[in-house]
């Protein structure tokens, strides 16, 4: 059963409505309001300045690179950059928040609107609109599992810049949410504004889920906090959909509440209900002036935005006649696209045929090597230039496609160039008509009985003669020439 069918049968007359608040950690050497390093994996409290530790009398200084990163993200996600935005204090007490408040943006975020178009498995496209993107400080980390009697605080993360990307409630299933997050992550990685590394917590999401009957008003949402893997996000959504349908179908009402996803049980449970919802007492941050941007600065950043997945897919289809499926797969991740484009760039004016063949070899043979070894394409044993060279050897009839598969494996194991392997192993295709004819004649002479059978109408034997000749040449005869020669010889 596909995921799509599962959701349809499981939800019956009910439709799920889902909106996300994605926290994406900004790629930057230093924090939002201090010059401390953001490096992941440092010793506890190594990257903590007086500002991050909130010593009295220190003042925040805005990191303009982080602001540029947020602007870039907003432009890349089709949003509007607001010329004036503002920082606010969000007050709450937590041991890993030494300030006693988080500096965030509330009523006046840096980015408004925006959207991502997502393509589902069935090929349909759906637009997911964004509400806003704002920037804020991350909190530190409380560590409870190092001692039986004590908790520890690590403030290395305190003050690192987060972008909170808030969507409209535009998604309808776990599949749509998964595709949305994959695409969002890919765009952020293309933009180099967030590394999207969910294991290290650089991307995490709060998932808002409600249930209604299509055509009726949206239902009350439950919010599942801080889920940090695609798998858990999908599981949390499916659990919530089922839980809420259960409540409504037995005549109850869904409470607006904040829930936690328990990775061990695959269930969500209440963290806090609306009654004791937090009142953050937001007020304008007195230590920072409003953030005022100029059109010039925004336009300058717009110029640095690379070609993004949708545009790249369309261009590859247009320029090289690649099928949509291939073009989309190549463009889906910046590393894959970089590899493909470096391979194309390494040959002089690549033809459409070449581009298509290169796509096949990359998405087929190379991806299968990568899968087997568990490596990403940026760790590939075969360089983009060498893969292009291999495809070129096939296209120029130096080796056959079949031999090329062997060569590719040898390339993977040795890291050598295809030309070197072909040379060393003597794998060059035989294209000399005389040489092939000599071997073909030998095969026919050794199989006079089969030749007689062929001539009396057993056409299928043609394949046998091809196979035998190929065997004698160790697979190196050019198949087209070999076919022509055999036809000619057998006609007489
Ligand atoms: P809060 O901080 O209170 O959670 P936000 O405005 O930051 O509020 O986020 C609200 C999120 O909830 C958005 O992602 C929005 O799309 C989503 N949402 C709003 N209404 C619904 C609903 N009826 N069902 C599901 N999600 C919803
Ligand atoms: Mg929320």
């Amino acid at each position: 059963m596909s995921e799509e069918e599962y959701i349809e049968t499981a939800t019956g007359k009910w439709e799920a409505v889902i909106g996300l608040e994605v926290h994406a950690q900004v790629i930057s050497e230093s924090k939002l309001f201090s010059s401390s390093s953001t490096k992941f994996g440092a010793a506890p409290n190594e990257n903590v300045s007086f500002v991050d530790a909130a010593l009295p009398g220190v003042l925040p200084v805005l990191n303009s690179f982080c602001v540029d990163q947020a602007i870039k993200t907003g432009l890349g996600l089709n949003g509007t950059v607001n010329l004036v935005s503002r920082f606010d204090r969000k007050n709450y007490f937590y041991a890993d928040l030494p300030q006693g408040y988080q500096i965030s943006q509330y009523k006046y975020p840096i980015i408004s609107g925006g959207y991502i178009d997502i393509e589902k498995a069935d090929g349909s496209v759906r637009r997911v609109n964004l509400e806003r993107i704002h920037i804020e400080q991350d909190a530190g980390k409380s560590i409870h599992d190092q001692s039986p009697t004590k908790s520890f605080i690590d403030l290395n993360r305190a003050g690192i810049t987060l972008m909170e990307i808030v969507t409209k409630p535009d998604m309808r299933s776990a599949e749509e949410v998964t595709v949305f997050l994959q695409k969002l992550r890919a765009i952020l990685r293309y933009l180099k504004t967030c590394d999207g590394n969910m294991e290290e917590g650089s991307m995490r999401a709060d998932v808002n889920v409600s249930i209604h009957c299509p055509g009726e008003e949206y239902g009350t949402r439950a919010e599942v906090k801080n889920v940090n893997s695609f798998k858990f996000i999908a599981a949390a959504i499916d659990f919530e959909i089922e839980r809420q349908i259960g409540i409504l179908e037995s005549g109850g009402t869904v409470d607006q509440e904040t829930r936690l996803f328990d990775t061990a049980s695959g269930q969500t449970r209440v963290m806090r209900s609306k009654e004791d919802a937090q009142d953050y007492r937001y007020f304008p941050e007195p230590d920072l002036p409003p953030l005022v941007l100029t059109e010039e600065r925004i336009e300058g950043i717009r110029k640095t935005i690379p070609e993004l997945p949708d545009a790249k897919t369309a261009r590859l289809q247009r320029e090289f006649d690649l099928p949509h499926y291939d073009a989309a797969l190549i463009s889906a991740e910046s590393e894959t696209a970089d590899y493909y484009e470096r391979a194309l760039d390494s040959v002089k004016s690549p033809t459409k045929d070449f581009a298509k063949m290169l796509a096949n070899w990359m998405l087929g043979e190379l991806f299968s090597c990568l899968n087997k070894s568990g490596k990403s394409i940026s760790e590939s044993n075969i360089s983009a230039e060498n893969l292009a060279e291999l495809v070129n050897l096939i296209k120029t009839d130096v080796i056959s496609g079949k031999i090329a598969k062997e060569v590719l494996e040898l390339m993977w194991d040795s890291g050598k160039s295809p030309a070197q392997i072909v040379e060393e192993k003597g794998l060059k295709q035989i294209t000399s008509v005389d040489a092939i004819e000599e071997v073909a004649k030998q095969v026919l002479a050794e199989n006079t009985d089969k030749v007689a059978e062929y001539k009396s109408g057993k056409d299928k034997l043609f394949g046998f003669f091809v196979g035998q000749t190929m065997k004698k040449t160790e697979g190196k005869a050019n198949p087209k020439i070999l076919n022509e020669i055999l036809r000619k010889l057998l006609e007489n």
Side-chain angles (χ1 to χ4, degrees):
M1 206 188 275
S2 76
E3 198 169 11
E4 183 83 339
E5 286 165 337
Y6 163 67
I7 282 160
E8 222 157 315
T9 49
T11 58
K13 66 170 178 168
W14 303 101
E15 179 182 63
V17 172
I18 308 162
L20 301 174
E21 295 154 80
V22 179
H23 286 99
Q25 199 174 87
V26 169
I27 294 177
S28 156
E29 303 259 305
S30 53
K31 297 182 179 179
L32 184 54
F33 298 117
S34 80
S35 57
S36 311
S37 165
T38 57
K39 220 174 175 78
F40 183 81
N45 296 307
E46 191 175 298
N47 302 331
V48 182
S49 70
F50 290 164
V51 174
D52 311 319
L55 294 200
V58 295
L59 289 172
V61 177
L62 182 60
N63 181 337
S64 70
F65 177 72
C66 293
V67 173
D68 288 350
Q69 290 285 67
I71 296 171
K72 199 169 179 184
T73 304
L75 294 172
L77 296 174
N78 314 297
T80 306
V81 182
N82 295 314
L83 292 177
V84 179
S85 62
R86 210 173 73 186
F87 290 100
D88 294 279
R89 277 191 189 181
K90 181 179 181 180
N91 299 280
Y92 64 99
F93 172 79
Y94 209 81
D96 59 23
L97 186 77
Q99 285 172 156
Y101 57 84
Q102 178 189 27
I103 304 179
S104 182
Q105 294 189 305
Y106 186 48
K107 284 207 180 113
Y108 304 97
I110 185 165
I111 309 290
S112 300
Y115 62 85
I116 296 180
D117 288 329
I118 58 168
E119 191 178 326
K120 295 168 64 176
D122 64 7
S124 63
V125 174
R126 186 180 171 93
R127 177 158 295 183
V128 176
N129 291 289
L130 304 182
E131 182 79 46
R132 57 192 267 154
I133 302 172
H134 68 251
I135 44 181
E136 61 187 24
Q137 309 170 285
D138 206 344
K141 261 186 198 160
S142 301
I143 300 157
H144 306 294
D145 57 2
Q146 305 274 310
S147 151
T149 52
K150 294 190 182 96
S151 284
F152 296 103
I153 304 290
D154 178 2
L155 293 179
N156 281 347
R157 201 177 66 183
I160 286 183
T161 313
L162 293 181
M163 295 182 282
E164 181 167 333
I165 302 165
V166 184
T167 76
K168 303 249 187 201
D170 283 357
M171 287 158 280
R172 296 291 175 266
S173 67
E175 187 210 351
E176 288 184 6
V177 170
T178 305
V179 180
F180 171 83
L181 285 170
Q182 271 161 350
K183 185 122 180 219
L184 172 63
R185 183 174 176 272
I187 295 172
L188 297 177
R189 288 163 63 88
Y190 263 87
L191 293 169
K192 297 193 167 62
T193 58
C194 168
D195 66 23
N197 189 334
M198 291 181 114
E199 274 149 45
E200 292 179 3
S202 14
M203 212 173 116
R204 44 195 201 265
D206 299 346
V207 186
N208 296 272
V209 183
S210 69
I211 291 291
H212 77 146
C213 291
E216 288 174 13
E217 265 179 46
Y218 287 167
T220 306
R221 70 183 156 112
E223 176 179 9
V224 188
K225 275 272 174 213
N226 252 324
V227 205
N228 64 356
S229 85
F230 287 114
K231 201 177 95 197
F232 292 152
I233 288 170
I237 291 170
D238 285 341
F239 179 83
E240 268 309 300
I241 293 174
E242 226 172 284
R243 184 185 71 88
Q244 294 182 20
I245 291 176
I247 293 174
L248 294 179
E249 293 201 333
S250 57
T253 49
V254 175
D255 291 330
Q256 183 170 343
E257 58 194 10
T258 302
R259 302 178 69 88
L260 286 177
F261 181 69
D262 178 3
T263 53
S265 67
Q267 303 189 340
T268 67
R269 61 186 150 81
V270 186
M271 179 177 151
R272 56 175 184 258
S273 65
K274 204 193 173 193
E275 278 71 44
D276 45 49
Q278 301 214 9
D279 180 351
Y280 294 113
R281 303 273 159 156
Y282 278 102
F283 65 83
E285 168 57 57
D287 290 341
L288 288 164
L291 174 54
V292 180
L293 304 172
T294 61
E295 295 281 4
E296 267 171 293
R297 178 169 174 184
I298 298 166
E299 289 318 305
I301 293 169
R302 196 189 296 279
K303 288 198 191 93
T304 68
I305 293 193
E307 183 182 48
L308 294 174
D310 286 345
K312 200 180 285 292
T313 301
R315 182 177 57 79
L316 290 177
Q317 284 184 253
R318 200 173 57 237
E319 256 179 49
F320 297 110
D321 275 347
L322 288 190
H324 173 76
Y325 182 83
D326 294 22
L329 210 54
I330 290 168
S331 309
E333 292 290 341
S334 59
E335 292 84 354
T336 318
D338 281 353
Y339 187 99
Y340 183 75
E341 291 186 321
R342 258 186 296 123
L344 273 187
D345 286 347
S346 72
V347 297
K348 255 188 244 145
S349 42
T351 61
K352 289 179 180 176
D353 262 6
F354 180 85
K356 174 67 189 138
M357 202 173 203
L358 179 67
N360 287 344
W361 278 83
M362 184 177 100
L363 300 174
E365 302 301 316
L366 181 70
F367 271 34
S368 125
C369 288
L370 293 170
N371 282 341
K372 268 187 243 155
S373 66
K375 288 190 169 186
S376 74
I377 197 160
S378 28
E379 304 160 333
S380 169
N381 294 5
I382 298 176
S383 70
E385 294 75 13
N386 278 349
L387 187 70
E389 191 186 314
L390 180 73
V391 172
N392 226 357
L393 293 180
I394 308 168
K395 281 222 69 78
T396 51
D397 280 338
V398 177
I399 54 174
S400 67
K402 195 151 167 259
I403 295 274
K405 287 192 186 177
E406 271 177 64
V407 174
L408 184 115
E409 265 172 38
L410 294 168
M411 287 164 72
W412 183 270
D413 293 338
S414 68
K416 288 180 184 168
S417 80
Q420 193 182 348
I421 290 168
V422 169
E423 193 57 48
E424 281 175 8
K425 303 257 168 194
L427 294 172
K428 244 184 209 159
Q429 193 163 227
I430 307 169
T431 48
S432 144
V433 176
D434 292 344
I436 296 175
E437 191 168 316
E438 198 186 310
V439 184
K441 276 183 175 159
Q442 219 178 312
V443 167
L444 298 185
E446 284 165 11
N447 295 283
T448 46
D449 48 339
K450 294 223 166 56
V451 173
E453 279 180 56
Y454 175 81
K455 289 193 170 161
S456 64
K458 212 167 169 196
D459 290 347
K460 267 197 245 148
L461 279 169
F462 190 76
F464 169 81
F465 301 126
V466 173
Q468 290 300 307
T469 317
M470 268 299 185
K471 209 165 150 193
K472 273 197 196 292
T473 61
E474 290 168 316
K476 289 184 289 190
N478 175 297
K480 212 173 132 224
I481 299 177
L482 170 59
N483 269 287
E484 279 163 14
I485 289 173
L486 274 172
R487 291 230 182 274
K488 196 189 73 193
L489 290 176
L490 285 164
E491 258 169 33
N492 306 324

